Amino acid sequence: MSLISGIFNSTATEVTESGLVRGNKAVDASFLAKIFSSFFKNGIFLDERGGGFFTKPLGGNLGTMDAMSVLTEAGACHINGYFAYDSVQEIRRFNISSSVRTAAKVYRLDLVDGSITTDWYECTRSDGKLITKDTREKLPVRSSTIFDLVTAVIEIPAGARRITEAMLTDLRSDAEMCGIVAGAVTGFDSEAWCVQMRAYLAELKQAVADLPSDSAAYFALNKLNTDLSNLSEDADLSALGIIAQGHTHTAGSIGGGTLGEDVVAASGGDLSIPRLRNISYADTAAETIADGDLMGVYL
């Protein structure tokens, strides 16, 4: 497949059969979706109050329709570069039943036409998994044509006459079921880099093995392989523990602003005197402290 790029200003236009004016360098919605999918993870957006499609019992007196209803807050979601939002709350009412009922709130992207819809899907439980009753599919569906976000699941006991918070499970923070869109890519993917580095080192080791052991190239590549191996190996936890222990000191171990060579981690000490980083501790808060000092209160 050849490399595809965009977006560019069109230099000519044509009128389609449906009467739309289309530029010769225009891109469609699927191209724009690829752009956004590279910036954002799939999931729902939280608002300033934490709303974002949160589902809760509506409340109401026993015997009323509100008692068996749930309310889903307004919100927005991002799925594979496509965006959808609802500016109003949604209320779903459940009937009183003599059987246990399980239902999942699903936001579903149709990858064929790019539309996102939402509904409650009646489900059963199988090995802890949610299985839709009508199509027998495991939620969330993630296929070449469908991508689901499951934001909540409700399990109503047989004969229940009121929906309570205990019956609802918020799945929005579960990355496997839904996930939360925190923002655009802001960091370096060190895990992916390590995978690539290990693959490179494997090739380098093979190249070294194929060379005569007495050649200059063998010694050069072998040295390079040894040096780079340290960059891709996992951290030695025992070594990290020794380093942490050697640099952990209580306030009582510090005197005159310096640490002696024989100072090691210890307990005790007069914590009321400001020492490390101008931090002091007391059992009661002081009325005033010196400019630049910090005080902690232990109870």
Side-chain angles (χ1 to χ4, degrees):
M1 184 181 210
S2 60
L3 180 66
I4 299 175
S5 64
I7 306 169
F8 306 102
N9 292 329
S10 294
T11 56
T13 59
E14 63 176 353
V15 179
T16 65
E17 293 180 359
S18 59
L20 295 176
V21 177
R22 180 174 60 194
N24 64 332
K25 295 184 180 180
V27 294
D28 58 12
S30 63
F31 184 90
L32 296 176
K34 288 183 181 296
I35 295 177
F36 291 118
S37 63
S38 67
F39 293 144
F40 298 97
K41 293 182 177 180
N42 292 327
I44 60 97
F45 292 88
L46 293 180
D47 59 26
E48 64 276 7
R49 298 164 303 176
F53 295 143
F54 176 62
T55 300
K56 61 184 178 182
L58 185 61
N61 296 325
L62 195 65
T64 65
M65 295 182 67
D66 287 348
M68 290 295 293
S69 301
V70 296
L71 181 147
T72 299
E73 297 282 2
C77 65
H78 171 270
I79 311 176
N80 285 12
Y82 294 90
F83 175 84
Y85 76 94
D86 198 338
S87 59
V88 298
Q89 299 171 325
E90 175 197 332
I91 295 176
R92 170 61 184 262
R93 294 183 171 89
F94 293 89
N95 297 325
I96 297 174
S97 174
S98 58
S99 303
V100 176
R101 294 187 66 185
T102 301
K105 179 63 170 172
V106 178
Y107 291 83
R108 172 164 290 182
L109 167 65
D110 184 330
L111 289 164
V112 176
D113 62 16
S115 63
I116 298 177
T117 57
T118 182
D119 202 354
W120 284 91
Y121 287 77
E122 294 283 340
C123 303
T124 59
R125 289 279 190 182
S126 177
D127 295 328
K129 307 296 183 181
L130 291 170
I131 308 298
T132 59
K133 281 188 174 180
D134 53 352
T135 59
R136 304 303 300 171
E137 293 176 302
K138 181 176 73 70
L139 293 178
V141 177
R142 305 279 171 84
S143 67
S144 60
T145 58
I146 293 175
F147 196 104
D148 288 343
L149 298 180
V150 183
T151 59
V153 63
I154 185 170
E155 299 185 76
I156 308 174
R161 299 174 61 83
R162 172 182 288 161
I163 293 176
T164 65
E165 291 185 1
M167 301 177 191
L168 280 162
T169 302
D170 185 0
L171 298 175
R172 296 177 303 161
S173 61
D174 186 337
E176 296 297 323
M177 302 297 288
C178 179
I180 295 173
V181 181
V185 176
T186 57
F188 171 69
D189 190 347
S190 59
E191 182 176 353
W193 181 85
C194 282
V195 171
Q196 296 176 31
M197 177 58 74
R198 290 190 177 104
Y200 165 73
L201 288 176
E203 295 179 359
L204 186 59
K205 288 180 180 179
Q206 185 59 48
V208 172
D210 293 339
L211 290 172
S213 60
D214 59 348
S215 66
Y218 173 86
F219 289 108
L221 286 179
N222 190 59
K223 178 65 166 60
L224 179 62
N225 175 54
T226 302
D227 292 342
L228 291 179
S229 294
N230 295 327
L231 299 177
S232 67
E233 295 298 329
D234 294 328
D236 187 334
L237 297 181
S238 62
L240 291 178
I242 294 173
I243 294 173
Q245 183 179 5
H247 290 272
T248 302
H249 311 280
T250 65
S253 302
I254 304 171
T258 60
L259 291 174
E261 294 182 358
D262 58 341
V263 174
V264 296
S267 60
D270 183 5
L271 301 181
S272 64
I273 301 175
R275 294 179 183 273
L276 183 62
R277 298 180 183 273
N278 296 326
I279 301 175
S280 61
Y281 291 83
D283 55 1
T284 57
E287 295 183 0
T288 60
I289 59 175
D291 185 25
D293 285 350
L294 299 173
M295 171 169 278
V297 178
Y298 52 84
L299 303 177

